[in-house]
Amino acid sequence: MIRQVIKIDEEKCNGCGLCVNACHEGAIGLVHGKAKLMRDDYCDGLGDCLPSCPTGAISFEQREAADYDEAAVMKAKAEKAAKERQMQEKAMAGGCPGSRMMQFQRPAAPAAVTEGSGQAVSELRQWPVQIKLAPVNAPYFQGADLLIAADCTAYAYASFHQDFIRGRVTLVGCPKLDDVDYSEKLTEILRQNDIQNVLIVRMEVPCCGGLEHAVKTALQNSGKMIPWQVKVISTDGRLL
């Protein structure tokens, strides 16, 4: 049938992933760093994704397309939610070592290096750190100062552990590489735990805007008034 669906101009797309988060039907994904309409029958043609695009790469077009299939969309959402719950249950029960929940005790007094070694001390307080693998509920979230950081920030900024991780529970992710809407899980983490404040650390590149947007959406959807701030790191490792 001929109907209205979205059209994405790959030349204008910067791969920020904001449209992926904005599409509640899961019709858009990132492929090789560019947004792409994955399934016509997942696109309802309403265009919730258009305002989220910072480059104007998304528009409407009338063309031959499969009819919007709400049942298929709801089924896909349910399967995604079930998969995330299964991952969380495995993490809580043991499961894969990469996602097994762990908490580390760190000394209250900060130390720049271990005695006699000259080696910097890790400030990481818990495992896992990837947003996709982290459980929604965990003891270390209670009363926590939460750090949500883009993957690249720890590599770009030399004092990342001392300046950002110290004293905080850490979650990291990359909206350009992970085909997932972080805001849904982050909303539940904020809603179900006693988070004191949120620090977002991102790179200056446009694609990192997807992480900031996801956290802001989660903060809004959580229904709580949680203090938050954003720190931006340049590609050459400076705090902007």
Side-chain angles (χ1 to χ4, degrees):
M1 64 177 294
I2 302 295
R3 70 180 186 94
Q4 178 173 279
V5 293
I6 64 163
K7 179 182 179 181
I8 302 173
D9 186 341
E10 290 193 1
E11 293 297 321
K12 292 182 179 179
C13 177
N14 65 7
C16 69
L18 294 177
C19 58
V20 178
N21 293 332
C23 180
H24 303 297
E25 290 73 31
I28 305 175
L30 287 178
V31 179
H32 303 305
K34 297 288 185 178
K36 181 178 180 181
L37 178 60
M38 307 302 289
R39 290 183 53 158
D40 288 353
D41 59 341
Y42 281 16
C43 179
D44 59 10
L46 297 179
D48 288 343
C49 53
L50 269 70
S52 69
C53 181
T55 63
I58 306 176
S59 59
F60 289 120
E61 66 175 345
Q62 295 281 343
R63 64 171 173 83
E64 182 73 30
D67 198 8
Y68 173 62
D69 190 341
E70 184 177 6
V73 170
M74 297 305 294
K75 181 181 178 182
K77 284 185 176 181
E79 290 175 349
K80 178 182 176 182
K83 184 177 180 181
E84 289 182 351
R85 283 196 301 270
Q86 187 179 40
M87 291 176 63
Q88 292 167 16
E89 289 169 359
K90 285 182 178 180
M92 296 294 286
C96 169
S99 58
R100 185 178 301 137
M101 189 181 72
M102 291 180 280
Q103 188 169 1
F104 314 126
Q105 297 298 321
R106 300 295 183 192
V113 295
T114 54
E115 291 185 9
S117 69
Q119 183 178 358
V121 175
S122 173
E123 298 290 346
L124 190 65
R125 300 175 61 187
Q126 99 292 337
W127 186 266
V129 295
Q130 286 288 338
I131 298 172
K132 290 175 66 174
L133 299 179
V136 169
N137 293 111
Y140 48 72
F141 282 134
Q142 298 307 315
D145 298 329
L146 182 61
L147 167 66
I148 303 176
D151 286 348
C152 296
T153 55
Y155 294 94
Y157 190 73
S159 300
F160 193 84
H161 275 246
Q162 288 70 37
D163 291 356
F164 298 130
I165 294 182
R166 177 181 293 161
R168 296 185 176 97
V169 170
T170 302
L171 296 177
V172 302
C174 176
K176 190 168 184 176
L177 299 181
D178 287 342
D179 184 18
V180 64
D181 182 0
Y182 289 143
S183 66
E184 295 178 3
K185 187 169 193 178
L186 292 174
T187 296
E188 292 308 310
I189 290 175
L190 296 174
R191 182 180 290 156
Q192 298 184 34
N193 299 281
D194 181 26
I195 303 296
Q196 297 299 298
N197 59 75
V198 177
L199 172 62
I200 307 162
V201 182
R202 53 162 291 188
M203 298 298 295
E204 64 177 329
V205 295
C207 54
C208 259
L211 180 67
E212 182 177 342
H213 177 78
V215 179
K216 289 180 179 178
T217 300
L219 286 162
Q220 182 177 13
N221 293 342
S222 71
K224 296 181 177 181
M225 296 294 292
I226 302 175
W228 60 275
Q229 61 175 319
V230 181
K231 299 288 187 180
V232 181
I233 307 299
S234 69
T235 52
D236 61 356
R238 293 174 292 113
L239 179 63
L240 300 179

